Structures are given as structure tokens and as C-alpha cells.
Amino acid sequence: MFARKAHDVLAQAPEILPGTFELADFTADIEALDQLRPVFTRIAALAGRADDTEMALGSDIFTAALEGYRFAKLAGKGTALDELRAQARVRFARQGKRKGAEGSDPA
């Protein structure tokens, strides 16, 4: 708002400006911003939808990973399960401490 008001005042009285002040450039910048704002708004909306999609996919992937891990635990032990168990221990290490269950194995 300040910049627009300043532009309006300066455009009405350009004689108060020194010769080094480029009022035409100031005007062009405001016009360019006015033209670009709708584009920026659309880009921001698209980025928001992309973030929502990433969050939803991440949630689905994590849920599937936990479910698969549970099935793998039921099926037995093996090298792959040991690797999953180690990853789960790292992933959930702080969570167990927050709940007061230190030393609990999420596996």
C-alpha cells in the first residue's frame, strides 16, 4: 500500500523528483507485479496441493510399511526382518522414551 501511494503521489508531481529517479521504471515494476500476482497465486495453490499429495502418499506408504513389518514379524525371522527391526528401533527410539517405556522394542 505504501509503495502504491508513493507512486501515485510521485506520478502526480514528477517535478519534485531528481533527474536520477526513474519514475518510468517504478511504474513498470508495479505493473509487472500486478500482472504476475495471479500467476504467483496459482503457483502457491499448486504447491499447496503438491504438499498435501506428498503428505497423503507418505502416510499411505508408512502405513503399508508398518503393516508389512507386522506380517514379516509373524512370518518369522531372517536377515531382512533383522534389518527392518533395526530400522524400526532407530525410527521409534524417541517415541518410546516420550511414552515412558524406555528400552521397549517396537519390534
Side-chain angles (χ1 to χ4, degrees), residues 40-55:
F40 296 153
T41 300
R42 289 192 301 266
I43 290 170
L46 182 60
R49 290 198 321 248
D51 288 343
D52 293 346
T53 300
E54 180 182 24
M55 182 73 72

Side-chain angles (χ1 to χ4, degrees), residues 32-79:
L33 183 59
D34 288 344
Q35 290 176 350
L36 288 171
R37 277 231 164 96
V39 174
F40 296 153
T41 300
R42 289 192 301 266
I43 290 170
L46 182 60
R49 290 198 321 248
D51 288 343
D52 293 346
T53 300
E54 180 182 24
M55 182 73 72
L57 288 170
S59 177
D60 290 351
I61 290 167
F62 188 69
T63 299
L66 284 176
E67 186 177 2
Y69 176 69
R70 286 186 198 109
F71 287 132
K73 272 181 32 178
L74 291 173
K77 297 187 179 209
T79 305

Side-chain angles (χ1 to χ4, degrees), residues 89-99:
R89 202 171 279 125
V90 170
R91 167 65 178 90
F92 295 108
R94 283 191 271 154
Q95 194 174 55
K97 290 179 183 176
R98 273 187 271 149
K99 293 180 179 177

Side-chain angles (χ1 to χ4, degrees), residues 1-30:
M1 290 301 291
F2 171 75
R4 284 187 190 280
K5 191 62 172 171
H7 178 267
D8 292 345
V9 169
L10 297 174
Q12 291 174 7
E15 67 277 358
I16 66 171
L17 298 171
T20 57
F21 190 90
E22 297 291 336
L23 184 59
D25 288 347
F26 189 12
T27 302
D29 288 346
I30 288 174

